[in-house]
């Protein structure tokens, strides 16, 4: 500390200069994935296509409860954590989410996009379906 006027001690503060863009880049977590949505005949269901494989083969895997999802799939469990999600279906290249009739897509879609994005970026090394 350096002495200021009238015997008051003032702290010495040193700042390291960064360019604005370098500082912003240091804070940025890059997550890039284009997820397409498709309507279905059922207005309480939407299909999300991440543009990457979801599960192998032509079979589908359906989750109808959070407990079932928690045992088999981190992504399905994350989707059930979203208030209003009723069921989840995985296909080879799609994720179908069925909502409760009182839930609104405008509230659900951002959280669903985030869960799918997390699976393909942050948790990319983990399989979508856990092995038995």
């Amino acid at each position: 500390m350096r002495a200021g006027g009238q015997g008051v001690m003032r702290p010495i503060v040193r700042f390291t200069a960064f360019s604005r863009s370098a500082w912003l880049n240091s804070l940025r977590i890059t997550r890039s994935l284009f997820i397409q949505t498709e309507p279905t005949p059922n207005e309480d269901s939407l299909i999300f296509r991440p543009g990457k494989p979801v599960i192998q083969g032509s079979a589908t895997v359906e989750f109808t409860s959070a407990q079932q999802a928690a045992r088999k799939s981190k992504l399905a469990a994350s989707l059930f954590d979203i208030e209003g999600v009723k069921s989840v279906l995985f296909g080879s290249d799609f994720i179908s989410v069925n909502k409760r009739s009182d839930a609104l897509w405008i509230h659900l879609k951002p959280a669903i996009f985030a869960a799918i994005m997390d699976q393909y970026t942050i948790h990319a090394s983990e399989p979508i379906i856990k092995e038995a």
Side-chain angles (χ1 to χ4, degrees):
M1 290 201 184
R2 186 177 292 157
Q6 302 175 349
V8 176
M9 299 295 283
R10 293 192 182 146
I12 297 173
V13 179
R14 296 182 196 270
F15 293 99
T16 304
F18 288 102
S19 72
R20 179 173 160 72
S21 62
W23 179 75
L24 288 173
N25 284 336
S26 72
L27 298 177
R28 186 174 298 138
I29 297 173
T30 303
R31 298 190 311 172
S32 177
L33 184 67
F34 182 71
I35 303 169
Q36 295 179 327
T37 59
E38 293 177 17
T40 67
N42 177 355
E43 65 183 30
D44 290 335
S45 246
L46 269 182
I47 293 175
F48 297 82
R49 293 190 184 272
K52 296 184 179 201
V54 178
I55 60 173
Q56 298 297 321
S58 60
T60 59
V61 179
E62 184 174 20
F63 300 94
T64 57
S65 73
Q67 296 79 16
Q68 177 193 21
R71 289 190 304 270
K72 290 286 194 177
S73 170
K74 185 173 197 148
L75 175 56
S78 295
L79 292 169
F80 272 100
D81 285 343
I82 301 166
E83 183 67 32
V85 170
K86 185 177 176 182
S87 66
V88 175
L89 177 74
F90 293 154
S92 61
D93 65 347
F94 70 90
I95 300 159
S96 177
V97 177
N98 192 23
K99 69 174 185 66
R100 291 191 325 245
S101 59
D102 63 332
L104 299 174
W105 284 118
I106 195 165
H107 299 276
L108 297 174
K109 282 170 61 173
I112 293 170
F113 284 134
I116 295 170
M117 182 107 42
D118 285 351
Q119 174 64 46
Y120 285 96
T121 56
I122 297 170
H123 305 293
S125 64
E126 301 173 27
I128 291 178
I129 302 291
K130 296 176 187 173
E131 297 298 322

